[in-house]
Amino acid sequence: MGEESESVVVVNGIRFCVGTRVDAQDYIYNWYPACISELNLKEKKALIHFEKWSKKYDEWMSFDSPRLRPLISSDCPEKIVTMHGKDDLEVGDMVAAFWHDLSYYTAVVLSKETKTSGKVVLSLGYDDEHRTIIANISPKDVLTGEKGRQAVMGVGSSRPPTYSSKFPDPQGGQRRQRAHNRASGTTLTLEQKAFAGRAVTAIKRTLREKKKLLQRGPRSPPMQLKRKGMSKKSPQSQPQSQPQPQPQ
C-alpha cells in the first residue's frame, strides 16, 4: 500500500515528509493530532510529534504502523472531501459517510479491498473521540465531490457524536479490554513491571513482619538513665509487683 515519488514516500494514504500532519496514537491507545518532525528513510521510520505536547513524548514509528493514519482536518470540511468519483477512491481519500445518527460525517479511507466476487469494500476511519473504524463499506454508500461536501457541511458539526445506549459502539468490547489492560498495568514496560514486582514484594514482606510483631504482643521500652545514680536494668528482670527503687 505504498508508493514513492521524488523521495516522498506515500504509505496508507500518508505522505511521509517533514511537516505532514497525521493522526497518531500514543502507547495507551489515545489518538491525537500530530506531525512528522524527522524521517529515517533507510529504516522507514518517522519521528512523530504530538501537537500541544512536549517533545519528550516524541516517538519513532514505522511508516506502516497501525498507530498512524491520515489526519481528518475538522477545520474546513468543505475542502477535504475528495472530488474523486467512487470508482477512483484510494487510501487516504476523504469521503462523507453515514454515522449512527443517520447523518453524514467526514471519514478517511483506511483500506480498499476487492473480494473474490469482484465486490469492492472500504474500511473507513471516523473523526470521533475513539477514531472508530467501520469495515466492509460499499463505495456506493459514501458521498464524494460536491455532494459529499454539502452533506458534511449540512450537519452543523464536523465531528460525529459519541455512541450511546441507543446506538452502541461496535468496538466497545475491545475498547473496554484495552482500558482494563491499562488499569491492570499490562501496558507497562518490562523495566516498570520489574520495579512494580519488587515494590509488591517489599510491601508483602513489610506486612508479614508487622503481623509477626502484633502476634508477639507489645514490648516495654528500655529504661532511660534520667537521674544520677540510676542503673540501666531490663524491666523483665524485675518483679512487676515491686516499685522501682528511688534514688536517695
Side-chain angles (χ1 to χ4, degrees), residues 40-81:
N40 187 330
L41 296 178
K42 184 177 180 180
E43 297 185 4
K44 296 183 178 180
K45 290 185 177 181
L47 182 61
I48 303 300
H49 171 68
F50 295 93
E51 296 181 357
K52 300 182 180 180
W53 288 87
S54 171
K55 289 186 177 181
K56 67 180 182 181
Y57 298 109
D58 290 3
E59 183 177 352
W60 286 96
M61 298 186 189
S62 60
F63 289 171
D64 58 352
S65 171
R67 296 167 56 198
L68 294 176
R69 75 178 205 179
L71 177 70
I72 299 179
S73 175
S74 58
D75 300 329
C76 303
E78 71 278 4
K79 296 181 180 180
I80 60 177
V81 176

Side-chain angles (χ1 to χ4, degrees), residues 152-207:
V152 171
M153 294 179 64
V155 174
S157 173
S158 57
R159 300 193 69 178
T162 56
Y163 282 96
S164 63
S165 58
K166 184 178 180 181
F167 302 102
D169 183 356
Q171 295 179 323
Q174 299 177 11
R175 214 177 322 280
R176 284 190 294 271
Q177 182 62 42
R178 291 198 296 266
H180 173 74
N181 292 343
R182 291 198 298 269
S184 61
T186 54
T187 57
L188 297 177
T189 63
L190 294 178
E191 291 80 4
Q192 291 171 325
K193 288 181 180 180
F195 177 82
R198 291 194 297 269
V200 170
T201 302
I203 292 172
K204 289 182 177 179
R205 183 172 58 250
T206 303
L207 292 176

